Amino acid sequence: PQIWWLDPELTYGNAKPFVFTQGHSVCNRSFFPCFDTPAVKCTYSATVKAPAGIQVLMSATQSTYLEEEGVYQFYMEYPVPAYLVALVAGDLTHADIGPRSRVWAEPCLLPTAISKLSGMVERWLTAAESLYGPYIWGRYDIVFLPPSFPIVAMENPCLTFIISSILESDEFLIIDVIHEVAHSWFGNAVTNATWEEMWLSEGLATYAQRRITTETYGAAFTCLETAFRLDALHRQMKLLGEDNPVSKLQVKLEPGVNPSNLMNLFTYEKGYCFVYYLSQLCGDPRHFDSFLRAYIEKYKFTSVVAQDLLDSFLNFFPELKEQCVESKAGLEFERWLNATGPPLAEPDLSQGSSLTSPVETLFKLWTTEPLDSAAAASSVDLTKWRTFQTVLFLDRLLDGSPLPHEVIKKLSECYSSQLDSMNAEIRIRWLQIVVRNDYYPDLYKVRRFLENQMSRMYTIPLYEDLCTGTLKSFALEIFYQTQNQLHPNLRKTIQQILSQGLNPLPAIDTTAVTADTPAMVLEDKVSEATNGAISLRDVNVSA
């Protein structure tokens, strides 16, 4: 659906109904009559009538409210594609967090949102402007949505939508918001003209996001986050097979296929690797920043195809054009765009080794036979690690599951209670390890987690794992107990997983890898091309 109506029970405050729209990629045609293609852009105005006590917001540059009539008026003065028109309404209050930014959230969440983001957004906007030129949308506000929001984040201009569930996971929140900030230039100002080239928005936004995090948090942190995502890309590659057509940057969109089904880690990370490769050809990333500034200036408020980007690149760097870099053997631009499989080249992440090496060391200690659990246990204090270090470690353990019983038992003794107090991105990974290893002593934690989670990204992966193994009756029991607190769409997806028995429906989840955190939820089905049951836990579902 495009318009999501929520009863009060599906909000945090349980007080008032809530509604939001999600237009990406071709859903807004059911919201208003439009040319629902990213190739067409226009300005828009809207008049919205709402009951007293309901705050209405839209992705617009101007808004007014006539209290006596209960009427809001919105105007977006810059041309945008249809998918970026968005509306949200509910029990929302706001606080300013910077000179051109405010957060909107339900009253009970507002203090958390303020404490996590106050002062930060302006810092990120300023860093982005220093790299890519002026922020053209006026305001950059953020609204936090209930857990039913089907993806992690969405870059609606002037008003980024973010799922509230991510608030507790600081590092994921930072990356997701910065990714959406980057879309203000790449995706919103300059847009892919066709959904077959979504990497023009997502690959460039991911590259820009990492330039911004390098400027604000340093290269080591950026390399750690990149290593975590590329790990996820290779995991997805293994699941899908190297010759799968969805691994191309230029995907063929068959008639009747929802473009959101093409949204996967390749769109983000293979796209990023290609953009990074182009930046390396220039020698200095700052030269590439200058090119991107010129590209934005030339194409802002229009839609482009890959050839526009690549021609502009070669014209900006005539010396590279002379060297025929576009046809360098094995790294031809054409091959980057149309070959299946992993990226043709990946970035050098050695600047992140101070953060990634301890992860590799600890993983080896736990997986080398014979197990020396005392050495493994005493080597690291996980509470001092960054979130991305811990999730990278747990993802690798998850890849190695099922583990020998002695290993999972010792891991639990060593870390289980520590992990209990950590954020949901960390906890869900530990619980997936518990499930995939049939580790019964910790199953009560899986139940407790699912009793308290209402979002797609923190329920689907666990239900898929429970139904693939021997724990289906346990999953059914939890589902019957908790189903009334789930949105009907999510309930339906979980019912499908439960009814599929040992072959769960390939629902794509979106545990932070987003913004457009990755995972755009790929609806309830992966495109036909993916065949078979796949839990793409790592598709960050941010648009």
Side-chain angles (χ1 to χ4, degrees):
Q2 152 55 24
I3 305 177
W4 297 62
W5 301 92
L6 309 186
D7 291 330
E9 307 81 73
L10 291 177
T11 66
Y12 283 99
N14 293 312
K16 296 176 186 175
F18 199 98
V19 62
F20 64 84
T21 65
Q22 169 52 20
H24 197 292
S25 42
V26 291
C27 297
N28 268 349
R29 60 190 66 180
S30 64
F31 178 22
F32 57 92
C34 58
F35 293 104
D36 202 357
T37 161
V40 174
K41 293 187 170 185
C42 64
T43 59
Y44 80 85
S45 58
T47 305
V48 184
K49 193 166 171 45
I54 294 289
Q55 174 69 49
V56 182
L57 306 169
M58 287 190 78
S59 54
T61 46
Q62 297 168 28
S63 67
T64 56
Y65 177 51
L66 303 166
E67 195 169 351
E68 57 285 359
E69 295 165 42
V71 168
Y72 290 85
Q73 287 182 309
F74 299 96
Y75 179 53
M76 168 50 88
E77 66 197 270
Y78 304 114
V80 293
Y83 77 90
L84 290 177
V85 176
L87 175 144
V88 58
D91 185 11
L92 293 167
T93 52
H94 73 271
D96 288 337
I97 52 164
R100 46 186 160 172
S101 303
R102 59 178 44 158
V103 283
W104 290 89
E106 291 185 58
C108 59
L109 286 176
L110 192 64
T112 308
I114 297 167
S115 70
K116 298 287 172 103
L117 290 172
S118 192
M120 308 296 277
V121 172
E122 185 58 31
R123 188 178 164 196
W124 301 331
L125 284 170
T126 308
E129 288 183 311
S130 70
L131 294 167
Y132 304 121
Y135 176 74
I136 55 183
W137 303 97
R139 296 198 59 79
Y140 184 91
D141 295 339
I142 295 172
V143 58
F144 283 98
L145 282 86
S148 304
F149 188 53
I151 60 172
V152 175
M154 180 63 208
E155 67 272 18
N156 300 310
C158 308
L159 184 66
T160 285
F161 283 24
I162 299 196
I163 193 168
S164 304
S165 321
I166 207 75
L167 269 170
E168 68 174 89
S169 307
D170 293 11
E171 289 176 30
F172 280 85
L173 174 68
I174 287 170
I175 293 297
D176 288 332
V177 177
I178 293 176
H179 184 87
E180 306 314 319
V181 164
H183 269 308
S184 306
W185 286 261
F186 305 99
N188 294 7
V190 182
T191 309
N192 43 279
T194 155
W195 291 121
E196 295 178 332
E197 296 186 326
M198 224 180 296
W199 73 271
L200 283 169
S201 286
E202 295 304 346
L204 278 160
T206 303
Y207 177 83
Q209 160 212 314
R210 289 180 180 145
R211 288 288 291 127
I212 297 165
T213 59
T214 300
E215 294 296 311
T216 45
Y217 298 104
F221 175 72
T222 304
C223 287
L224 169 66
E225 184 267 336
T226 308
F228 163 70
R229 302 286 191 214
L230 289 177
D231 231 39
L233 178 74
H234 289 290
R235 186 173 306 119
Q236 196 170 90
M237 183 93 265
K238 235 183 254 169
L239 287 164
L240 295 173
E242 294 212 354
D243 52 359
N244 196 302
V246 301
S247 64
K248 292 181 182 185
L249 282 186
Q250 291 196 313
V251 198
K252 194 80 203 104
L253 196 52
E254 299 301 333
V257 172
N258 186 332
S260 290
N261 290 359
L262 302 179
M263 198 90 175
N264 58 39
L265 275 173
F266 297 96
T267 316
Y268 294 80
E269 297 303 335
K270 191 175 181 178
Y272 160 76
C273 287
F274 183 30
V275 177
Y276 181 88
Y277 169 70
L278 295 176
S279 77
Q280 292 299 101
L281 291 173
C282 310
D284 184 336
R286 284 170 300 193
H287 294 161
F288 192 65
D289 295 334
S290 306
F291 157 65
L292 288 176
R293 263 201 304 279
Y295 164 80
I296 292 288
E297 193 47 50
K298 178 176 181 182
Y299 288 111
K300 70 178 175 198
F301 305 130
T302 69
S303 301
V304 299
V305 294
Q307 211 49 56
D308 295 323
L309 172 71
L310 298 175
D311 287 348
S312 302
F313 175 74
L314 293 171
N315 292 334
F316 195 86
F317 297 106
E319 67 286 5
L320 294 179
K321 194 174 187 173
E322 278 170 37
Q323 294 163 30
C324 299
V325 290
E326 75 276 15
S327 42
K328 199 170 169 181
L331 290 162
E332 300 87 348
F333 290 0
E334 167 65 22
R335 184 184 295 211
W336 268 105
L337 295 176
N338 290 303
T340 59
L344 303 180
E346 289 189 15
D348 168 14
L349 300 177
S350 55
Q351 285 184 284
S353 61
S354 61
L355 296 170
T356 53
S357 295
V359 176
E360 282 153 20
T361 305
L362 186 64
F363 177 70
K364 280 200 190 88
L365 278 172
W366 280 105
T367 51
T368 304
E369 293 182 8
L371 174 66
D372 181 351
S373 57
S378 61
S379 68
V380 167
D381 178 359
L382 281 196
T383 58
K384 300 216 164 38
W385 268 11
R386 320 265 336 208
T387 288
F388 280 119
Q389 288 178 291
T390 309
V391 293
L392 186 60
F393 171 61
L394 294 173
D395 273 351
R396 292 190 174 171
L397 288 175
L398 202 48
D399 287 341
S401 293
L403 299 157
H405 183 72
E406 182 202 2
V407 174
I408 184 75
K409 183 169 174 286
K410 292 288 184 195
L411 277 166
S412 176
E413 286 169 16
C414 194
Y415 302 128
S416 188
S417 58
Q418 278 182 31
L419 296 170
D420 278 348
S421 59
M422 295 186 188
N423 64 59
E425 288 294 336
I426 290 173
R427 293 199 318 277
I428 189 173
R429 286 168 166 83
W430 170 247
L431 296 174
Q432 284 187 276
I433 291 169
V434 166
V435 169
R436 287 194 198 176
N437 287 278
D438 290 335
Y439 188 63
Y440 289 93
D442 274 7
L443 272 185
Y444 73 96
K445 295 183 178 185
V446 176
R447 177 193 294 274
R448 195 167 62 200
F449 186 83
L450 287 172
E451 283 170 354
N452 290 296
Q453 291 296 339
M454 295 180 284
S455 75
R456 189 176 195 95
M457 63 192 204
Y458 296 140
T459 51
I460 299 282
L462 276 169
Y463 276 109
E464 286 192 330
D465 283 353
L466 285 164
C467 289
T468 306
T470 57
L471 294 164
K472 193 171 166 195
S473 57
F474 177 69
L476 274 163
E477 190 189 319
I478 298 171
F479 175 68
Y480 286 130
Q481 189 188 327
T482 58
Q483 59 178 336
N484 290 338
Q485 67 196 40
L486 305 174
H487 187 277
N489 294 357
L490 177 55
R491 207 181 304 156
K492 190 174 141 203
T493 304
I494 295 171
Q495 281 169 333
Q496 287 174 318
I497 292 169
L498 291 164
S499 67
Q500 292 279 324
L502 296 177
N503 185 18
L505 189 141
I508 300 268
D509 111 279
T510 57
T511 331
V513 243
T514 222
D516 286 1
T517 200
M520 183 80 202
V521 172
L522 313 190
E523 306 269 278
D524 290 341
K525 289 201 178 85
V526 191
S527 66
E528 293 309 304
T530 59
N531 298 326
I534 299 170
S535 171
L536 301 185
R537 186 182 70 261
D538 317 276
V539 180
N540 178 12
V541 238
S542 324

